[in-house]
Amino acid sequence: MAAGRDAARHAGTLYRKALPWLRHPVREVEAEAEHLLEIEREGKGAETPVIAILGVILFLLPIVLLILGLAFAAYFLAG
């Protein structure tokens, strides 16, 4: 078991060293999302309602698209 754990840790280290440019954009997006969440929690900014509504839309959009895709698939398979 220890050999597998050591191999996984070593592979993670190699990926961290080889692909730092891949994580950089993700960290920027995470930082921006955390900043927007702080603004929303404070509620002082004029953009707070927009942030909250956009968050709800981005949460519900994939669910709606999945249900719509399943409905269309069922329609085309049935007819």
Side-chain angles (χ1 to χ4, degrees):
M1 282 305 224
R5 184 176 52 234
D6 291 339
R9 186 178 301 127
H10 179 66
T13 304
L14 290 177
Y15 284 125
R16 263 186 247 112
K17 289 179 182 176
L19 302 173
W21 56 271
L22 190 61
R23 294 184 321 173
H24 183 67
V26 173
R27 286 186 179 167
E28 288 179 0
V29 171
E30 286 177 348
E32 183 65 27
E34 288 177 10
H35 174 69
L36 290 174
L37 186 60
E38 289 174 9
I39 291 173
E40 182 185 2
R41 285 185 181 156
E42 289 175 7
K44 296 179 182 175
E47 60 273 351
T48 300
V50 175
I51 296 169
I53 291 170
L54 185 63
V56 170
I57 290 172
L58 290 176
F59 175 76
L60 293 177
L61 187 65
I63 297 170
V64 170
L65 290 176
L66 177 69
I67 292 172
L68 193 62
L70 291 173
F72 275 116
Y75 173 76
F76 285 120
L77 290 174

